[in-house]
Amino acid sequence: MALPLLLMYLLLGNAVFAEATLIRVPLRRLHPRHRTLTPLSTWGRSAQGPRLGSSASDDKPTFVPLSNFMNAQYFGNIGLGTPPQNFSVVFDTGSSNLWVPSTRCRFFSVPCWFHHRFNPEASSSFQPIGTKFAIQYGTGRLSGILSKDSLNIGGIDGASVTFGEALWEPSLVFTLAHFDGILGLGFPSLAVGGVQPPLDTLVEQGLLERPVFSFYLNRDPEEADGGELVLGGSDPAHYIPPLTFMPVTIPAYWQIHMERLSVGTGLTLCAQGCGAILDTGTSLITGPSEEIRALHVAIGAFPFLGGQYFIQCSKISTLPPISFLLGGVWFNLTAQDYVIQIPQAGFRLCLSGFQALDIPKPAGPLWILGDVFLRTYVTVFDRGDKKTGARVGLARARPRATERRGGGAVRAPFTAHPS
């Protein structure tokens, strides 16, 4: 009697998931030849407070958004207000606030003049809040005021979200950026000003069934099509099963435990286990400087500009795989995955996808798995609930030619994720 009931339960469960609405947000990518590679040496520093993970005066941990947005390649569109005013934003798992430039920005805030700006007077649903906010990112900072208005994302319309109108963006990083603003997908504890993150708002207002989203990033550097952000679940057409899930160890960043990292068969890093953060706002993979130095020696890379490393393009086929042990499963990167190839005046410039970043205790040492890793593996970010807790799922991305293409809000098959 128990077996038929179990089968019925599973069938019903799968039927429910199959009807889950997956909201698709197409992503664009910045072509590598137009990309500015900027040193990451300022990551984790705050101009107005303690460094990443250090203790503030009230003995509470301080979380600083990690993402290096000058290197961010993947971004998509949202609408704010009624009627919607369109903005290009980075969907960033390393921070938790939504902000865009404002028409009320200061005259000498140069980034405002090069990007779309939100006009509160043009929106019939605008609600002023006026509370000041300031965010210090790894390579840029901004400040402004909080406001409330309707968010349109991937066909979801009518979510009333609190967001930042940027009034002052003194950092060059935002002037040169190919996006207008940032939509953070981190945890509430990371949000500046105690603002509810957009994902939480969508779920609370019943516009998104589950606090789950996934990224598929297109690996083809010649395509402007950057892949998809899928809200509400994941699309099996994007990956090769199974998904390997692992728990989030600290619910601020999407941080998990990495058992170790191997370079070919001759070098083991993170030998005693370490923390790893999955960050869509970061282009490269970063780690402690001593271990990154050893990794580059092992693959024969040479120091280049801004802490990056040069690799001879002719040797890519001979370089060893680099493997990450996560959740008891090895996730491998070939040299084609971890070497960044940039066309320059008829030549190719080949750079390592790894860079040093020393994050101090108590938060560090940490590795950050950015787009170099996330292009190869589809990542499912699941906030979970009070019973299951947050978790991250990884699976090898399918080759682009074999997957389904789509856009907008659609109903698509959904695979139940095992606990």
Side-chain angles (χ1 to χ4, degrees):
M1 192 69 180
L3 184 58
L5 287 175
L6 177 61
L7 289 174
M8 183 179 295
Y9 173 78
L10 291 174
L11 288 172
L12 287 173
N14 285 334
V16 170
F17 284 121
E19 290 300 318
T21 301
L22 300 187
I23 306 303
R24 300 176 185 273
V25 183
L27 301 177
R28 302 193 309 279
R29 66 176 294 159
L30 179 64
H31 198 286
R33 67 167 54 96
H34 298 138
R35 180 179 172 199
T36 302
L37 295 171
T38 302
L40 307 183
S41 58
T42 57
W43 282 22
R45 297 180 186 174
S46 173
Q48 301 175 343
R51 295 188 67 183
L52 170 66
S54 61
S55 295
S57 58
D58 58 0
D59 295 326
K60 294 181 180 180
T62 300
F63 296 105
V64 179
L66 292 174
S67 300
N68 178 26
F69 295 109
M70 178 55 74
N71 279 342
Q73 287 184 288
Y74 298 91
F75 43 89
N77 292 333
I78 64 168
L80 280 173
T82 307
Q85 300 174 41
N86 295 324
F87 298 92
S88 175
V89 297
V90 171
F91 295 103
D92 173 39
T93 59
S95 64
S96 297
N97 289 81
L98 167 61
W99 66 265
V100 295
S102 173
T103 55
R104 298 184 281 184
C105 64
R106 300 183 191 176
F107 180 81
F108 291 106
S109 184
V110 179
C112 286
W113 305 106
F114 290 91
H115 295 90
H116 296 99
R117 293 177 290 168
F118 177 77
N119 182 1
E121 295 182 0
S123 173
S124 62
S125 52
F126 174 76
Q127 300 177 52
I129 296 177
T131 304
K132 294 181 180 180
F133 80 97
I135 302 177
Q136 171 71 47
Y137 291 103
T139 52
R141 62 190 176 92
L142 67 135
S143 60
I145 56 175
L146 297 177
S147 300
K148 181 172 286 190
D149 212 329
S150 177
L151 170 68
N152 181 296
I153 178 171
I156 296 179
D157 198 7
S160 181
V161 299
T162 298
F163 68 101
E165 290 187 62
L167 305 181
W168 178 237
E169 300 175 57
S171 304
L172 180 65
V173 59
F174 295 121
T175 303
L176 301 177
H178 286 248
F179 53 86
D180 302 312
I182 295 162
L183 190 150
L185 291 167
F187 288 79
S189 58
L190 197 60
V192 171
V195 173
Q196 185 178 57
L199 180 70
D200 297 70
T201 299
L202 292 175
V203 174
E204 182 180 277
Q205 296 180 11
L207 298 171
L208 191 65
E209 296 176 31
R210 305 170 67 236
V212 183
F213 60 94
S214 59
F215 278 90
Y216 168 78
L217 304 181
N218 184 4
R219 290 187 290 172
D220 186 347
E222 299 302 320
E223 288 193 26
D225 179 8
E228 281 188 328
L229 162 64
V230 179
L231 297 172
S234 64
D235 185 350
H238 285 161
Y239 59 84
I240 301 171
L243 279 165
T244 298
F245 279 94
M246 54 218 78
V248 170
T249 54
I250 300 178
Y253 311 108
W254 289 92
Q255 181 174 332
I256 59 176
H257 177 71
M258 181 162 67
E259 287 98 314
R260 62 183 180 275
L261 184 154
S262 296
V263 182
T265 57
L267 176 64
T268 298
L269 305 174
C270 177
Q272 305 301 317
C274 55
I277 294 171
L278 296 138
D279 185 7
T280 57
T282 297
S283 285
L284 307 180
I285 298 173
T286 75
S289 56
E290 290 187 10
E291 296 197 298
I292 292 294
R293 191 177 302 114
L295 181 151
H296 283 135
V297 170
I299 64 175
F302 303 95
F304 191 58
L305 300 174
Q308 295 179 324
Y309 280 73
F310 169 79
I311 293 173
Q312 289 182 265
C313 297
S314 60
K315 293 188 175 181
I316 289 178
S317 62
T318 67
L319 297 182
I322 298 178
S323 305
F324 305 75
L325 186 59
L326 303 166
V329 175
W330 285 104
F331 293 88
N332 305 315
L333 296 183
T334 67
Q336 291 289 340
D337 298 322
Y338 66 75
V339 175
I340 301 170
Q341 302 183 49
I342 304 175
Q344 291 286 345
F347 296 92
R348 279 188 305 157
L349 178 64
C350 294
L351 300 175
S352 167
F354 291 84
Q355 194 166 32
L357 172 63
D358 291 311
I359 297 175
K361 295 181 179 179
L366 286 171
W367 287 74
I368 299 177
L369 307 184
D371 295 339
V372 168
F373 181 87
L374 300 175
R375 281 196 297 265
T376 305
Y377 294 95
V378 166
T379 310
V380 179
F381 298 86
D382 185 352
R383 289 279 294 276
D385 52 37
K386 293 181 180 179
K387 293 182 178 179
T388 61
R391 58 183 184 167
V392 171
L394 292 170
R396 186 84 184 185
R398 286 189 186 275
R400 186 69 174 176
T402 63
E403 70 174 38
R404 273 199 315 271
R405 296 178 182 269
V410 301
R411 288 194 174 270
F414 186 91
T415 298
H417 297 153
S419 300

